[in-house]
Amino acid sequence: MKLMVSVKRVVDYNVRIQVKPDGSGVVTDGVKMSMNPFDEIAMEEALRIKEAGNAEEIIAVTIGEQKAQEQLRTALAMGADRAIHVEVDEDIQPLTAARVLKALADKEQPGMVLLGKQAIDDDQGQTGQMLAALWDRPQATFASKVDLDGQKAKVTREVDAGLETIEVDLPAVVTTDLRLNEPRYVKLPDIMKAKKKPIDTTSLADLGVEAAPGLKVTNTAPPPERQGGKKVESVDELVSELKNRGLI
Amino acid sequence: MAKVLLIADHDGENLNPTTPKAVACAADFSPEALDVAVFVSGDNGVADQAAKLDGVSRVLRIDNPANEHCLAAMLAPQIVKMAADYTHVLVAGSTFGKDLMARVAALLGVLQVSDIMKVESDYVFQRPIYAGNAITTVEAPSDQVLCGTVRAASYQAAGEGNSASVEDISVDAELPDHTRFVSVETHKSDRPDLQTAPRVVSGGRGVGSGENFDIIYKLADKINAGVGASRAAVDAGYVPNDMQVGQTGKIIAPELYIAVGISGAIQHWAGIKDAGTIVAINKDEEAPIFEVADLGLVADLFDAVPELEQKLG
């Protein structure tokens, strides 16, 4: 079977983000960009499924600006066989992303679509579930373990109560959580090899996808500042402070 | 005027503590109706718990064997049928709510507002991005059903002085058979739930080992607190991942948070921003946690924590 992995270009998770003073968004110019870490885990899981002999081909997909091809190159260097770049100039809504992935799923017929449980930029956490709904297929979100068994998969999910295991028929959508695996480091020869792998470019129009009406972001502000308080010199002083504040 | 349908999160016996908080958010719409949908298999008292919550107009109980494990694939088609009577469909942003609502929204062909932290009007909200390092104001279209998840940490639970009616309804929706529940492994603990405890004690890499976490547990037990950990402590294997507090773990808002041996990386900070009082105990006086802690004690945690435990209570 084929596996499709969706990856998103985001501000690197180590960057301390800056809000623009005019409230129009977050500074991204000149900021290090990377593959969304949860998508990296999805990519790694796809590789492991293929290496275990349960898949023949991995297709990496991204929806984004021209530069998002850098993240596709990373996916190809990790081991994806080919890539599809759906070029858009503006940020798109999760529902639009889901429509795009649905159109590609119809075309490529993957046995599983893997993607991060959320992107660490807008933190919306919707695309996987929306794709599953539009595709009329199962969703296994927040996956921490994926076991394939023929035309089914058993997926353990990280839920608030602990770990829930569900069984889904394939094809299915799996969104990945932090514990699923540790993504491999890309080695230089792999980066060289990745340059020769194909990236197809397409567009919403080519795929016949209409952009969904969006959420209008009218302001972006830094969170309320929190000032550090006082230092106490001893445990005794700490205890009396806690008592004075009625916390103990 | 808003008509809100709120989907209850529960484990078959009890409402999840995030649901009363989501009810408080829903009440901020000043809705003409606030109905709570309880999907169950067999009556288990959850509907009655929901009926007590202030602001609730009606509790709608949908009793169906297919609802036993509250799987998103099963619930979503039923909610889609019910949504026609409402302007807003909300759920708490628990793992249940996050899994469910985006499926509902896509089936309805509408967008979703995730992690609502403030309602400015029926279609204008504040929500965090970049793990709360920026807050956006967003405006949703008013000509379609608004699907949303509620950031529970931003709300106080609704009171329990109500006695709304409980009505049994049946929803005629075609349900899939492609998704099956297998098992759930819950982490049983006598300690208060980390997500909702008014007091939380967390340990970081400074604690040094899983065995050393005993002093964290002892302090927590003395003040009846939940226990958490930084990602560094989880990654080092001291404690399981469900104890992780931070951007990639649980986002909590206890009245008192005691951070022990935690340096205070952005990743951790994102999870405790809304805490009432933050206490930091760390031997490194340069640790970033002291820049944000209300009370800081520079000390060796192996001396200070047992002493604190002894002197409290």
Side-chain angles (χ1 to χ4, degrees), chain B residues 38-293:
Chain B
V38 178
F39 291 88
V40 290
S41 173
D43 186 11
N44 47 21
V46 174
D48 290 338
Q49 292 168 33
K52 287 191 188 135
L53 297 172
D54 291 342
V56 172
S57 327
R58 292 187 300 169
V59 174
L60 306 174
R61 182 167 48 202
I62 306 93
D63 192 340
N64 182 337
N67 294 339
E68 187 178 356
H69 300 292
C70 288
L71 295 172
M74 299 297 178
L75 266 46
Q78 300 176 61
I79 295 167
V80 166
K81 292 269 172 166
M82 296 171 74
D85 296 332
Y86 297 89
T87 59
H88 295 67
V89 183
L90 299 178
V91 70
S94 54
T95 48
F96 163 78
K98 288 176 178 174
D99 183 44
L100 172 66
M101 191 53 72
R103 190 170 182 108
V104 172
L107 290 177
L108 288 167
V110 301
L111 59 79
Q112 172 186 310
V113 181
S114 297
D115 303 317
I116 295 171
M117 57 188 290
K118 192 174 177 201
V119 177
E120 293 194 352
S121 75
D122 286 357
Y123 296 95
V124 179
F125 312 94
Q126 287 186 12
R127 67 171 301 269
I129 58 171
Y130 290 95
N133 287 303
I135 310 296
T136 56
T137 305
V138 297
E139 203 179 311
S142 58
D143 59 354
Q144 58 182 38
V145 179
L146 188 288
C147 289
T149 63
V150 176
R151 184 176 183 275
S154 299
Y155 290 89
Q156 299 287 329
E160 296 185 7
N162 196 2
S163 51
S165 63
V166 176
E167 298 173 22
D168 283 292
I169 63 165
S170 59
V171 180
D172 185 21
E174 199 182 319
L175 303 183
D177 58 6
H178 54 45
T179 306
R180 296 167 292 275
F181 173 84
V182 176
S183 64
V184 66
E185 191 185 313
T186 53
H187 307 297
K188 290 269 178 261
S189 168
D190 296 334
R191 297 192 175 86
D193 175 45
L194 171 61
Q195 194 98 52
T196 50
R199 296 169 182 168
V200 171
V201 183
S202 282
R205 205 200 306 264
V207 177
S209 72
E211 294 80 64
N212 290 350
F213 247 79
D214 273 351
I215 62 169
I216 306 291
Y217 290 124
K218 277 187 187 152
L219 173 58
D221 290 346
K222 192 65 168 277
I223 60 172
N224 194 28
V227 178
S230 68
R231 180 167 170 190
V234 171
D235 283 348
Y238 303 165
V239 290
N241 182 46
D242 57 307
M243 286 171 62
Q244 190 196 139
V245 173
Q247 180 171 1
T248 51
K250 294 196 165 67
I251 293 176
I252 59 173
E255 288 156 29
L256 174 63
Y257 186 76
I258 304 181
V260 179
I262 291 177
S263 66
I266 318 173
Q267 133 69 30
H268 188 71
W269 174 235
I272 59 167
K273 268 191 182 108
D274 296 323
T277 298
I278 297 174
V279 174
I281 300 173
N282 201 306
K283 68 178 172 194
D284 173 13
E285 64 179 310
E286 303 294 325
I289 190 86
F290 288 123
E291 291 166 26
V292 292

Side-chain angles (χ1 to χ4, degrees), chain A residues 10-11 13-17 19 25-28 33 38 93-95 98-99 117-118 120-134 136-142 151-154 156-171 177-179 212-239 241-243 245-248, chain B residues 9 16 18 69 71-73 93-96 98-100 102-107 109-115 124 127-141 144 176-187 193 195 199 223 231 234-235 241-242 244 247-248 250 255-256 258 266 269 272-279 281 285 290-298 303-305 307-308 311-313:
Chain A
V10 298
V11 173
Y13 76 101
N14 281 314
V15 172
R16 187 183 278 264
I17 60 127
V19 174
V26 164
V27 177
T28 52
M33 305 294 281
F38 291 107
Q93 298 291 314
L95 183 56
R99 286 176 181 172
K117 69 167 181 174
Q118 72 192 76
I120 61 162
D121 50 2
D122 59 22
D123 287 333
Q124 299 199 81
Q126 303 171 9
T127 306
Q129 298 90 307
M130 287 185 157
L131 167 61
L134 300 180
D136 198 15
R137 294 307 309 164
Q139 65 192 41
T141 52
F142 325 133
Q151 282 309 297
K152 294 179 291 193
K154 244 185 210 162
T156 301
R157 310 175 52 231
E158 292 201 15
V159 296
D160 293 335
L163 297 171
E164 181 191 76
T165 303
I166 59 171
E167 186 183 72
V168 294
D169 294 338
L170 301 182
D177 214 326
L178 212 60
R179 299 293 116 181
L215 260 194
K216 206 161 81 189
V217 179
T218 56
N219 188 45
T220 303
E225 284 274 326
R226 188 163 179 138
Q227 292 297 326
K230 62 186 286 189
K231 288 251 175 82
V232 292
E233 296 302 322
S234 66
V235 170
D236 287 325
E237 197 187 337
L238 176 58
V239 171
E241 281 284 349
L242 290 174
K243 282 187 174 151
R245 295 170 191 225
L247 291 164
I248 293 296
Chain B
D9 179 2
N16 187 286
T18 56
H69 300 292
L71 295 172
S94 54
T95 48
F96 163 78
K98 288 176 178 174
D99 183 44
L100 172 66
R103 190 170 182 108
V104 172
L107 290 177
V110 301
L111 59 79
Q112 172 186 310
V113 181
S114 297
D115 303 317
V124 179
R127 67 171 301 269
I129 58 171
Y130 290 95
N133 287 303
I135 310 296
T136 56
T137 305
V138 297
E139 203 179 311
Q144 58 182 38
D177 58 6
H178 54 45
T179 306
R180 296 167 292 275
F181 173 84
V182 176
S183 64
V184 66
E185 191 185 313
T186 53
H187 307 297
D193 175 45
Q195 194 98 52
R199 296 169 182 168
I223 60 172
R231 180 167 170 190
V234 171
D235 283 348
N241 182 46
D242 57 307
Q244 190 196 139
Q247 180 171 1
T248 51
K250 294 196 165 67
E255 288 156 29
L256 174 63
I258 304 181
I266 318 173
W269 174 235
I272 59 167
K273 268 191 182 108
D274 296 323
T277 298
I278 297 174
V279 174
I281 300 173
E285 64 179 310
F290 288 123
E291 291 166 26
V292 292
D294 300 286
L295 291 166
L297 174 63
V298 180
D303 298 328
V305 174
E307 188 186 342
L308 181 60
K311 287 178 174 165
L312 290 172

Side-chain angles (χ1 to χ4, degrees), chain A residues 4 6 8 61-63 86 88 92-107 110 113 115 124-136 139 173 175 204 207-212, chain B residues 102-107 109-112:
Chain A
M4 196 162 94
S6 169
K8 184 177 182 185
V61 177
T62 198
I63 308 166
V86 183
V88 295
I92 56 153
Q93 298 291 314
L95 183 56
T96 309
R99 286 176 181 172
V100 167
L101 295 174
K102 161 72 165 62
L104 290 172
D106 286 343
K107 207 168 140 190
V113 179
L115 67 169
Q124 299 199 81
Q126 303 171 9
T127 306
Q129 298 90 307
M130 287 185 157
L131 167 61
L134 300 180
W135 200 16
D136 198 15
Q139 65 192 41
V173 177
T175 81
L204 297 190
L207 294 168
V209 168
E210 194 189 335
Chain B
R103 190 170 182 108
V104 172
L107 290 177
V110 301
L111 59 79
Q112 172 186 310

